[in-house]
Amino acid sequence: LLMNTMANSADPRVTMVGSVTGNDNTVGGGGVYPIADLHDLDGFKAGFQRPIEMADGYGFIGAKAYKDSKLCLMILANFLHAKYHESTGITFSSMYPGCIAESPLFREKRSWFRKFFPIFMKYITGGFVGEHEAGQRLFQVMQDPRCKKSGVYWSWNGGPREGRGAEALEKGGQISGGGGAGGGWDSIFENDQSGKVLNLDTGFKLFEYATKITGAEWPSAVPEIETTVDISRIIDVV
């Protein structure tokens, strides 16, 4: 891991790209089946050995696998914040750039869906964001001084900057519908996280299982303290 090196750099940040679909306290995450749910992490517990394909140990569902992965990333960002932020100074956060409705993510969907879904997201929910703008938003979280705060889930609110015309730029407040995800640099805000994302028990288990599966080696969460005291002369401490 690069954590020790990052801790010695200027303004170190780690950002997980989450999603509204992994946050079930929203219309997009809690009202559209299948809903992200890791249950007891049985898939992780089994090490994802065949025939295990899902985090919860159930049968494969492509859309849910995507949503579960986003839920995992958001949980992990919070866990790393709690475990390492204070000792390393690294900012750990997650972000939702908006719905990148014209990306290859939907390449296996039916042709009518690929045609009309971007239109729906642009003109009905306001959640559409282009790939270029999504990249700009990731850059913002990694660079903007406001985003130095750790343990935050960042989102944007306002008129989409692409696909709706100049009159939609920088609209105050959210567009009517499922959730406007547009707006420019100053429309960023700290979004609410669901109970699943904030579940500490799930976070501990996810970290433990993922570490075992990947063989990752993590640094101590306790900072090393330099001292000139002769420790050999300390007999007891009450």
Short mmCIF file of all heavy atoms in Angstrom, two decimals, residues 128-182:
data_model
loop_
_atom_site.label_atom_id
_atom_site.label_comp_id
_atom_site.label_asym_id
_atom_site.label_seq_id
_atom_site.Cartn_x
_atom_site.Cartn_y
_atom_site.Cartn_z
N PHE A 128 -28.57 13.79 -15.07
CA PHE A 128 -27.58 13.48 -16.10
C PHE A 128 -26.29 14.26 -15.90
O PHE A 128 -26.29 15.42 -15.52
CB PHE A 128 -28.14 13.81 -17.48
CG PHE A 128 -27.14 13.66 -18.60
CD1 PHE A 128 -26.94 12.43 -19.20
CD2 PHE A 128 -26.40 14.75 -19.04
CE1 PHE A 128 -26.02 12.29 -20.24
CE2 PHE A 128 -25.48 14.62 -20.07
CZ PHE A 128 -25.29 13.39 -20.66
N VAL A 129 -25.16 13.60 -16.18
CA VAL A 129 -23.88 14.27 -16.23
C VAL A 129 -23.03 13.58 -17.29
O VAL A 129 -23.09 12.35 -17.44
CB VAL A 129 -23.17 14.25 -14.85
CG1 VAL A 129 -22.83 12.84 -14.43
CG2 VAL A 129 -21.93 15.12 -14.87
N GLY A 130 -22.30 14.35 -18.06
CA GLY A 130 -21.44 13.77 -19.08
C GLY A 130 -20.15 13.22 -18.49
O GLY A 130 -19.78 13.54 -17.35
N GLU A 131 -19.44 12.40 -19.26
CA GLU A 131 -18.21 11.79 -18.77
C GLU A 131 -17.16 12.84 -18.45
O GLU A 131 -16.43 12.72 -17.45
CB GLU A 131 -17.68 10.80 -19.81
CG GLU A 131 -18.58 9.58 -20.00
CD GLU A 131 -18.04 8.61 -21.03
OE1 GLU A 131 -16.97 8.01 -20.78
OE2 GLU A 131 -18.67 8.46 -22.10
N HIS A 132 -17.05 13.87 -19.28
CA HIS A 132 -16.05 14.91 -19.04
C HIS A 132 -16.33 15.64 -17.74
O HIS A 132 -15.42 15.88 -16.93
CB HIS A 132 -16.03 15.89 -20.22
CG HIS A 132 -15.04 17.00 -20.05
ND1 HIS A 132 -13.68 16.82 -20.16
CD2 HIS A 132 -15.22 18.33 -19.76
CE1 HIS A 132 -13.06 17.96 -19.96
NE2 HIS A 132 -13.96 18.89 -19.72
N GLU A 133 -17.59 16.01 -17.53
CA GLU A 133 -17.94 16.73 -16.31
C GLU A 133 -17.78 15.85 -15.08
O GLU A 133 -17.36 16.31 -14.02
CB GLU A 133 -19.37 17.26 -16.39
CG GLU A 133 -19.74 18.15 -15.20
CD GLU A 133 -21.11 18.78 -15.34
OE1 GLU A 133 -21.79 18.52 -16.36
OE2 GLU A 133 -21.48 19.55 -14.45
N ALA A 134 -18.08 14.56 -15.21
CA ALA A 134 -17.89 13.64 -14.10
C ALA A 134 -16.42 13.59 -13.70
O ALA A 134 -16.08 13.56 -12.50
CB ALA A 134 -18.37 12.24 -14.49
N GLY A 135 -15.55 13.60 -14.69
CA GLY A 135 -14.12 13.63 -14.40
C GLY A 135 -13.70 14.92 -13.71
O GLY A 135 -12.85 14.91 -12.81
N GLN A 136 -14.30 16.04 -14.12
CA GLN A 136 -14.02 17.31 -13.48
C GLN A 136 -14.42 17.29 -12.01
O GLN A 136 -13.74 17.87 -11.15
CB GLN A 136 -14.75 18.44 -14.20
CG GLN A 136 -14.19 18.78 -15.58
CD GLN A 136 -14.97 19.90 -16.24
OE1 GLN A 136 -16.19 19.99 -16.11
NE2 GLN A 136 -14.26 20.76 -16.96
N ARG A 137 -15.51 16.63 -11.73
CA ARG A 137 -16.00 16.57 -10.35
C ARG A 137 -15.07 15.72 -9.47
O ARG A 137 -14.84 16.06 -8.31
CB ARG A 137 -17.42 16.02 -10.34
CG ARG A 137 -18.41 17.00 -10.93
CD ARG A 137 -19.82 16.46 -10.97
NE ARG A 137 -20.73 17.53 -11.38
CZ ARG A 137 -22.05 17.41 -11.41
NH1 ARG A 137 -22.61 16.26 -11.09
NH2 ARG A 137 -22.80 18.42 -11.78
N LEU A 138 -14.58 14.63 -10.03
CA LEU A 138 -13.61 13.84 -9.28
C LEU A 138 -12.36 14.68 -8.99
O LEU A 138 -11.82 14.66 -7.88
CB LEU A 138 -13.24 12.58 -10.07
CG LEU A 138 -12.17 11.68 -9.44
CD1 LEU A 138 -12.58 11.21 -8.05
CD2 LEU A 138 -11.88 10.49 -10.35
N PHE A 139 -11.92 15.43 -9.99
CA PHE A 139 -10.78 16.33 -9.81
C PHE A 139 -11.06 17.35 -8.72
O PHE A 139 -10.19 17.66 -7.89
CB PHE A 139 -10.45 17.04 -11.12
CG PHE A 139 -9.44 18.13 -10.97
CD1 PHE A 139 -8.09 17.84 -10.84
CD2 PHE A 139 -9.85 19.46 -10.97
CE1 PHE A 139 -7.15 18.87 -10.69
CE2 PHE A 139 -8.92 20.49 -10.83
CZ PHE A 139 -7.57 20.19 -10.69
N GLN A 140 -12.28 17.88 -8.70
CA GLN A 140 -12.62 18.87 -7.68
C GLN A 140 -12.47 18.31 -6.28
O GLN A 140 -11.92 18.96 -5.38
CB GLN A 140 -14.04 19.40 -7.88
CG GLN A 140 -14.43 20.44 -6.82
CD GLN A 140 -15.82 21.01 -7.02
OE1 GLN A 140 -16.55 20.60 -7.91
NE2 GLN A 140 -16.20 21.97 -6.19
N VAL A 141 -12.99 17.09 -6.06
CA VAL A 141 -12.90 16.48 -4.73
C VAL A 141 -11.44 16.26 -4.33
O VAL A 141 -11.10 16.34 -3.15
CB VAL A 141 -13.68 15.16 -4.71
CG1 VAL A 141 -13.50 14.44 -3.37
CG2 VAL A 141 -15.16 15.40 -4.96
N MET A 142 -10.60 16.00 -5.30
CA MET A 142 -9.19 15.77 -5.01
C MET A 142 -8.39 17.06 -4.86
O MET A 142 -7.27 17.03 -4.34
CB MET A 142 -8.56 14.93 -6.13
CG MET A 142 -9.18 13.56 -6.30
SD MET A 142 -9.07 12.53 -4.81
CE MET A 142 -7.30 12.28 -4.72
N GLN A 143 -8.96 18.21 -5.28
CA GLN A 143 -8.18 19.44 -5.30
C GLN A 143 -8.79 20.59 -4.52
O GLN A 143 -8.07 21.40 -3.93
CB GLN A 143 -7.96 19.86 -6.76
CG GLN A 143 -6.98 20.99 -6.96
CD GLN A 143 -7.64 22.38 -6.89
OE1 GLN A 143 -8.85 22.50 -7.00
NE2 GLN A 143 -6.82 23.41 -6.72
N ASP A 144 -10.10 20.70 -4.48
CA ASP A 144 -10.78 21.82 -3.85
C ASP A 144 -10.48 21.85 -2.35
O ASP A 144 -10.66 20.86 -1.66
CB ASP A 144 -12.29 21.69 -4.07
CG ASP A 144 -13.05 22.96 -3.74
OD1 ASP A 144 -12.61 23.70 -2.83
OD2 ASP A 144 -14.09 23.21 -4.37
N PRO A 145 -10.04 23.01 -1.80
CA PRO A 145 -9.78 23.10 -0.36
C PRO A 145 -10.99 22.75 0.49
O PRO A 145 -10.85 22.24 1.60
CB PRO A 145 -9.39 24.58 -0.17
CG PRO A 145 -8.85 25.00 -1.50
CD PRO A 145 -9.67 24.25 -2.52
N ARG A 146 -12.20 22.98 -0.03
CA ARG A 146 -13.41 22.65 0.73
C ARG A 146 -13.55 21.15 0.93
O ARG A 146 -14.24 20.69 1.85
CB ARG A 146 -14.64 23.19 0.02
CG ARG A 146 -14.77 24.69 0.02
CD ARG A 146 -15.90 25.17 -0.87
NE ARG A 146 -15.63 24.88 -2.28
CZ ARG A 146 -16.42 25.25 -3.28
NH1 ARG A 146 -17.54 25.90 -3.01
NH2 ARG A 146 -16.11 24.97 -4.53
N CYS A 147 -12.93 20.37 0.05
CA CYS A 147 -13.08 18.91 0.10
C CYS A 147 -11.97 18.24 0.88
O CYS A 147 -11.79 17.03 0.81
CB CYS A 147 -13.12 18.35 -1.32
SG CYS A 147 -14.48 18.99 -2.31
N LYS A 148 -11.22 19.03 1.64
CA LYS A 148 -10.18 18.45 2.49
C LYS A 148 -10.79 17.75 3.70
O LYS A 148 -10.14 16.94 4.37
CB LYS A 148 -9.21 19.55 2.95
CG LYS A 148 -8.00 19.03 3.70
CD LYS A 148 -7.01 20.14 4.00
CE LYS A 148 -5.84 19.61 4.83
NZ LYS A 148 -5.12 18.52 4.13
N LYS A 149 -12.04 18.05 3.99
CA LYS A 149 -12.72 17.41 5.12
C LYS A 149 -12.88 15.93 4.86
O LYS A 149 -13.31 15.50 3.80
CB LYS A 149 -14.09 18.06 5.33
CG LYS A 149 -14.84 17.52 6.53
CD LYS A 149 -16.15 18.27 6.74
CE LYS A 149 -16.90 17.75 7.95
NZ LYS A 149 -18.19 18.46 8.16
N SER A 150 -12.51 15.12 5.84
CA SER A 150 -12.53 13.66 5.69
C SER A 150 -13.86 13.07 6.18
O SER A 150 -14.56 13.67 6.98
CB SER A 150 -11.37 13.05 6.49
OG SER A 150 -11.19 11.69 6.17
N GLY A 151 -14.19 11.89 5.65
CA GLY A 151 -15.39 11.19 6.07
C GLY A 151 -16.67 11.74 5.46
O GLY A 151 -17.76 11.54 6.00
N VAL A 152 -16.56 12.39 4.29
CA VAL A 152 -17.71 13.05 3.66
C VAL A 152 -18.08 12.35 2.36
O VAL A 152 -17.22 11.81 1.66
CB VAL A 152 -17.38 14.54 3.38
CG1 VAL A 152 -18.49 15.21 2.58
CG2 VAL A 152 -17.15 15.29 4.69
N TYR A 153 -19.37 12.36 2.04
CA TYR A 153 -19.89 11.87 0.77
C TYR A 153 -20.32 13.10 -0.02
O TYR A 153 -21.29 13.77 0.33
CB TYR A 153 -21.07 10.92 1.03
CG TYR A 153 -21.92 10.55 -0.16
CD1 TYR A 153 -21.35 10.04 -1.32
CD2 TYR A 153 -23.30 10.67 -0.10
CE1 TYR A 153 -22.14 9.68 -2.40
CE2 TYR A 153 -24.11 10.30 -1.16
CZ TYR A 153 -23.52 9.80 -2.31
OH TYR A 153 -24.31 9.44 -3.39
N TRP A 154 -19.58 13.43 -1.08
CA TRP A 154 -19.79 14.66 -1.83
C TRP A 154 -20.75 14.47 -3.01
O TRP A 154 -20.68 13.47 -3.70
CB TRP A 154 -18.46 15.20 -2.36
CG TRP A 154 -17.47 15.56 -1.30
CD1 TRP A 154 -16.38 14.84 -0.89
CD2 TRP A 154 -17.50 16.73 -0.48
NE1 TRP A 154 -15.72 15.49 0.12
CE2 TRP A 154 -16.38 16.65 0.39
CE3 TRP A 154 -18.34 17.84 -0.40
CZ2 TRP A 154 -16.10 17.65 1.33
CZ3 TRP A 154 -18.06 18.82 0.53
CH2 TRP A 154 -16.96 18.73 1.38
N SER A 155 -21.60 15.46 -3.20
CA SER A 155 -22.51 15.47 -4.34
C SER A 155 -22.65 16.90 -4.85
O SER A 155 -22.14 17.84 -4.24
CB SER A 155 -23.89 14.91 -3.96
OG SER A 155 -23.81 13.56 -3.57
N TRP A 156 -23.39 17.06 -5.95
CA TRP A 156 -23.60 18.38 -6.56
C TRP A 156 -25.09 18.61 -6.73
O TRP A 156 -25.86 17.67 -6.93
CB TRP A 156 -22.89 18.47 -7.91
CG TRP A 156 -21.40 18.55 -7.78
CD1 TRP A 156 -20.61 19.66 -7.91
CD2 TRP A 156 -20.50 17.47 -7.49
NE1 TRP A 156 -19.30 19.34 -7.71
CE2 TRP A 156 -19.20 18.00 -7.45
CE3 TRP A 156 -20.67 16.10 -7.26
CZ2 TRP A 156 -18.08 17.23 -7.19
CZ3 TRP A 156 -19.56 15.32 -6.99
CH2 TRP A 156 -18.27 15.89 -6.96
N ASN A 157 -25.50 19.86 -6.70
CA ASN A 157 -26.91 20.18 -6.77
C ASN A 157 -27.12 21.40 -7.66
O ASN A 157 -26.48 22.42 -7.49
CB ASN A 157 -27.45 20.49 -5.37
CG ASN A 157 -28.96 20.54 -5.34
OD1 ASN A 157 -29.63 20.14 -6.28
ND2 ASN A 157 -29.51 21.02 -4.24
N GLY A 158 -28.02 21.28 -8.63
CA GLY A 158 -28.31 22.40 -9.51
C GLY A 158 -28.58 21.92 -10.92
O GLY A 158 -28.81 20.75 -11.16
N GLY A 159 -28.56 22.83 -11.88
CA GLY A 159 -28.84 22.48 -13.26
C GLY A 159 -27.68 21.77 -13.92
O GLY A 159 -26.54 22.19 -13.78
N PRO A 160 -27.92 20.69 -14.64
CA PRO A 160 -26.85 20.01 -15.37
C PRO A 160 -26.19 20.97 -16.34
O PRO A 160 -26.84 21.79 -16.98
CB PRO A 160 -27.58 18.89 -16.10
CG PRO A 160 -28.84 18.67 -15.34
CD PRO A 160 -29.22 20.02 -14.81
N ARG A 161 -24.87 20.86 -16.47
CA ARG A 161 -24.13 21.77 -17.33
C ARG A 161 -24.05 21.26 -18.76
O ARG A 161 -23.60 21.97 -19.65
CB ARG A 161 -22.73 21.96 -16.77
CG ARG A 161 -22.72 22.58 -15.38
CD ARG A 161 -21.31 22.69 -14.85
NE ARG A 161 -20.49 23.56 -15.66
CZ ARG A 161 -20.46 24.88 -15.57
NH1 ARG A 161 -21.25 25.49 -14.69
NH2 ARG A 161 -19.68 25.61 -16.34
N GLU A 162 -24.45 20.03 -18.99
CA GLU A 162 -24.37 19.47 -20.33
C GLU A 162 -25.74 18.95 -20.76
O GLU A 162 -26.43 18.30 -19.99
CB GLU A 162 -23.36 18.32 -20.38
CG GLU A 162 -21.94 18.75 -20.01
CD GLU A 162 -20.97 17.60 -20.07
OE1 GLU A 162 -21.21 16.66 -20.84
OE2 GLU A 162 -19.98 17.63 -19.34
N GLY A 163 -26.12 19.24 -21.99
CA GLY A 163 -27.29 18.60 -22.56
C GLY A 163 -28.61 19.30 -22.35
O GLY A 163 -29.63 18.83 -22.82
N ARG A 164 -28.63 20.45 -21.63
CA ARG A 164 -29.90 21.11 -21.38
C ARG A 164 -29.92 22.58 -21.82
O ARG A 164 -30.92 23.25 -21.68
CB ARG A 164 -30.26 21.05 -19.89
CG ARG A 164 -30.68 19.66 -19.42
CD ARG A 164 -30.93 19.66 -17.93
NE ARG A 164 -31.97 20.59 -17.54
CZ ARG A 164 -33.25 20.28 -17.41
NH1 ARG A 164 -33.65 19.05 -17.66
NH2 ARG A 164 -34.13 21.18 -17.04
N GLY A 165 -28.79 23.08 -22.29
CA GLY A 165 -28.77 24.46 -22.74
C GLY A 165 -28.27 25.41 -21.67
O GLY A 165 -28.25 25.10 -20.48
N ALA A 166 -27.91 26.61 -22.10
CA ALA A 166 -27.29 27.59 -21.21
C ALA A 166 -28.22 28.02 -20.08
O ALA A 166 -27.77 28.36 -18.98
CB ALA A 166 -26.85 28.80 -22.01
N GLU A 167 -29.51 28.01 -20.31
CA GLU A 167 -30.44 28.50 -19.28
C GLU A 167 -30.48 27.60 -18.06
O GLU A 167 -30.98 27.99 -17.00
CB GLU A 167 -31.85 28.65 -19.87
CG GLU A 167 -32.58 27.33 -20.13
CD GLU A 167 -32.17 26.66 -21.43
OE1 GLU A 167 -31.31 27.24 -22.13
OE2 GLU A 167 -32.71 25.59 -21.73
N ALA A 168 -29.96 26.37 -18.20
CA ALA A 168 -30.01 25.43 -17.08
C ALA A 168 -28.80 25.54 -16.16
O ALA A 168 -28.78 24.94 -15.10
CB ALA A 168 -30.10 24.00 -17.60
N LEU A 169 -27.80 26.31 -16.56
CA LEU A 169 -26.57 26.36 -15.78
C LEU A 169 -26.79 27.06 -14.45
O LEU A 169 -27.46 28.08 -14.36
CB LEU A 169 -25.47 27.09 -16.57
CG LEU A 169 -25.11 26.49 -17.93
CD1 LEU A 169 -23.93 27.27 -18.52
CD2 LEU A 169 -24.76 25.02 -17.81
N GLU A 170 -26.18 26.48 -13.42
CA GLU A 170 -26.12 27.11 -12.10
C GLU A 170 -27.48 27.47 -11.53
O GLU A 170 -27.65 28.48 -10.87
CB GLU A 170 -25.24 28.37 -12.15
CG GLU A 170 -23.85 28.15 -12.68
CD GLU A 170 -23.05 27.17 -11.84
OE1 GLU A 170 -23.42 26.96 -10.67
OE2 GLU A 170 -22.09 26.60 -12.35
N LYS A 171 -28.48 26.66 -11.80
CA LYS A 171 -29.78 26.92 -11.19
C LYS A 171 -29.70 26.65 -9.70
O LYS A 171 -29.13 25.66 -9.27
CB LYS A 171 -30.86 26.02 -11.82
CG LYS A 171 -31.34 26.50 -13.18
CD LYS A 171 -32.53 25.68 -13.65
CE LYS A 171 -33.07 26.20 -14.96
NZ LYS A 171 -34.20 25.40 -15.45
N GLY A 172 -30.32 27.50 -8.93
CA GLY A 172 -30.34 27.29 -7.50
C GLY A 172 -31.33 26.19 -7.15
O GLY A 172 -32.41 26.10 -7.71
N GLY A 173 -30.93 25.34 -6.20
CA GLY A 173 -31.82 24.27 -5.76
C GLY A 173 -31.88 23.13 -6.73
O GLY A 173 -31.29 23.14 -7.80
N GLN A 174 -32.63 22.14 -6.36
CA GLN A 174 -32.68 20.91 -7.14
C GLN A 174 -33.77 20.96 -8.19
O GLN A 174 -34.84 21.52 -7.98
CB GLN A 174 -32.93 19.73 -6.20
CG GLN A 174 -32.50 18.41 -6.79
CD GLN A 174 -32.00 17.48 -5.71
OE1 GLN A 174 -31.88 17.87 -4.58
NE2 GLN A 174 -31.71 16.26 -6.07
N ILE A 175 -33.49 20.35 -9.33
CA ILE A 175 -34.48 20.26 -10.40
C ILE A 175 -35.60 19.33 -9.95
O ILE A 175 -35.39 18.35 -9.24
CB ILE A 175 -33.82 19.72 -11.68
CG1 ILE A 175 -32.86 20.78 -12.22
CG2 ILE A 175 -34.84 19.36 -12.73
CD1 ILE A 175 -32.13 20.36 -13.44
N SER A 176 -36.81 19.62 -10.36
CA SER A 176 -37.95 18.77 -10.01
C SER A 176 -37.73 17.37 -10.54
O SER A 176 -37.30 17.17 -11.67
CB SER A 176 -39.24 19.34 -10.58
OG SER A 176 -39.50 20.62 -10.06
N GLY A 177 -38.02 16.39 -9.71
CA GLY A 177 -37.85 15.01 -10.15
C GLY A 177 -37.03 14.23 -9.15
O GLY A 177 -36.99 14.53 -7.96
N GLY A 178 -36.38 13.18 -9.65
CA GLY A 178 -35.66 12.27 -8.78
C GLY A 178 -34.40 12.82 -8.18
O GLY A 178 -33.86 12.24 -7.27
N GLY A 179 -33.89 13.92 -8.65
CA GLY A 179 -32.71 14.51 -8.04
C GLY A 179 -31.76 15.11 -9.04
O GLY A 179 -31.05 14.39 -9.72
N GLY A 180 -31.74 16.42 -9.15
CA GLY A 180 -30.79 17.07 -10.02
C GLY A 180 -29.38 16.84 -9.54
O GLY A 180 -29.09 16.97 -8.35
N ALA A 181 -28.47 16.50 -10.42
CA ALA A 181 -27.09 16.25 -10.04
C ALA A 181 -26.16 17.21 -10.76
O ALA A 181 -24.98 16.96 -10.87
CB ALA A 181 -26.70 14.80 -10.36
N GLY A 182 -26.70 18.30 -11.27
CA GLY A 182 -25.90 19.21 -12.05
C GLY A 182 -25.29 20.31 -11.21
O GLY A 182 -25.15 20.20 -10.01
#
